[in-house]
Amino acid sequence: MQRHIYNCSDGCPVESTLQIISGKWKSVIIYHLIKNKVCRFSELQKRMPNCSRRMLSLQLSELEKDKIIEKKIYPVIPPKTEYKLTRFGQTLTPLIIEMEKWGRTYNTINLEEN
Amino acid sequence: MQRHIYNCSDGCPVESTLQIISGKWKSVIIYHLIKNKVCRFSELQKRMPNCSRRMLSLQLSELEKDKIIEKKIYPVIPPKTEYKLTRFGQTLTPLIIEMEKWGRTYNTINLEEN
DNA sequence: CAGCATCCCCCCAGATACTG
DNA sequence: CAGTATCTGGGGGGATGCTG
């Protein structure tokens, strides 16, 4: 995690944030975990059909490494896992909700233009 | 701009937002334009030393195409340009400020851990 | 100063196949 | 079900040089 900071110009806070959430699907994953508290891998897949299984897996593992989400594995067959936000990850909620709000009005505007 | 929407799963608002601001440097550019109102190309360069001139140029032109920023060209020699947020672009302010806030506390936490 | 054009390399991410 | 492993191509992005 430390390396992130040194990539940022003069400690620019926006750049710091991007180091954590700029992955192609990370904010979307966090968004669904805010809305649904707990999600299984397949549930996330359904909610993000444009994200390949491979990508979903990669993004999840990076979020886990950065302590944004935590993973619970049930030792059963067939396998079952659950993902949820950590306490630290929950501090991203206001930011992601702002993304949601802006996206909603943006969608509305574009629909009106048709 | 329309194409953006159809890339989004079921109109997911977060995905819509990402279509606009997910470029590698876009949120950082917007951030500096919020803080400084008007910036010249070289001023943005100084504030984002890790962003190459080429990348800065590309990101700016995409933001302009999406009507987030507008560019004013002064027909002088040597050339002078100025960038600022459009009214539409200003609606992103709350979102970018949330990114700033989160990045600040994140930086603080990491400094404490040293 | 504020870019664009070109070249070129690397690696991101899709497709596919396999596994506990 | 919930992933890994491997291969591959296409393009994102750096470096450099040029211009009005």
Side-chain angles (χ1 to χ4, degrees):
Chain A
M1 297 220 333
Q2 294 303 348
R3 103 196 103 78
H4 294 326
I5 294 181
Y6 303 115
N7 286 338
C8 298
S9 324
D10 201 17
C12 171
V14 173
E15 290 186 43
S16 302
T17 300
L18 287 177
Q19 297 286 350
I20 301 296
I21 62 158
S22 68
K24 207 177 177 185
W25 293 96
K26 290 184 183 175
S27 345
V28 185
I29 292 171
I30 298 168
Y31 170 65
H32 291 305
L33 288 179
I34 288 172
K35 294 295 176 185
N36 300 281
K37 308 296 182 192
V38 174
C39 282
R40 300 185 59 172
F41 189 87
S42 55
E43 191 177 350
L44 289 170
Q45 266 194 94
K46 272 175 207 156
R47 298 186 186 280
M48 304 158 59
N50 297 336
C51 177
S52 70
R53 207 164 46 201
R54 174 189 142 83
M55 274 310 294
L56 180 53
S57 180
L58 285 174
Q59 301 280 293
L60 283 169
S61 68
E62 285 185 28
L63 285 171
E64 193 186 0
K65 182 170 54 60
D66 284 338
K67 306 285 202 286
I68 303 296
I69 65 174
E70 56 194 11
K71 174 183 185 174
K72 185 170 183 181
I73 306 182
Y74 295 85
V76 296
I77 295 176
K80 173 176 176 180
T81 58
E82 285 180 344
Y83 294 91
K84 54 185 258 197
L85 293 172
T86 61
R87 266 187 174 278
F88 178 49
Q90 289 173 27
T91 64
L92 283 165
T93 301
L95 167 50
I96 302 295
I97 295 301
E98 281 299 330
M99 297 186 64
E100 181 196 19
K101 280 164 63 180
W102 196 87
R104 280 198 199 290
T105 67
Y106 174 69
N107 279 349
T108 306
I109 290 168
N110 273 18
L111 287 176
E112 282 169 1
E113 279 176 4
N114 278 350
Chain B
M1 298 223 327
Q2 294 303 348
R3 101 196 106 79
H4 293 328
I5 294 181
Y6 303 115
N7 287 338
C8 298
S9 325
D10 201 17
C12 171
V14 172
E15 290 187 43
S16 301
T17 301
L18 287 177
Q19 298 286 350
I20 300 297
I21 62 159
S22 69
K24 208 177 176 187
W25 293 96
K26 290 184 184 175
S27 346
V28 185
I29 292 171
I30 298 169
Y31 171 64
H32 290 305
L33 289 180
I34 288 172
K35 293 296 176 184
N36 301 282
K37 307 297 182 192
V38 174
C39 282
R40 299 186 58 172
F41 189 87
S42 55
E43 191 178 350
L44 288 169
Q45 264 193 96
K46 272 176 208 155
R47 298 186 186 280
M48 303 159 58
N50 296 337
C51 177
S52 71
R53 209 165 44 202
R54 174 189 143 85
M55 273 311 294
L56 181 53
S57 181
L58 285 174
Q59 301 279 292
L60 284 170
S61 68
E62 285 185 27
L63 285 171
E64 193 186 358
K65 181 169 55 58
D66 285 338
K67 306 283 203 286
I68 302 296
I69 65 175
E70 56 195 12
K71 174 183 185 174
K72 185 170 184 180
I73 306 182
Y74 295 85
V76 296
I77 295 176
K80 173 176 176 179
T81 58
E82 285 180 345
Y83 294 91
K84 54 185 259 195
L85 293 172
T86 60
R87 265 184 175 281
F88 178 49
Q90 289 174 26
T91 64
L92 283 165
T93 301
L95 167 49
I96 302 296
I97 295 302
E98 281 299 330
M99 295 186 65
E100 181 195 19
K101 280 163 63 179
W102 196 86
R104 281 199 198 289
T105 67
Y106 174 69
N107 279 349
T108 306
I109 289 169
N110 273 17
L111 286 176
E112 282 170 1
E113 278 176 4
N114 279 350

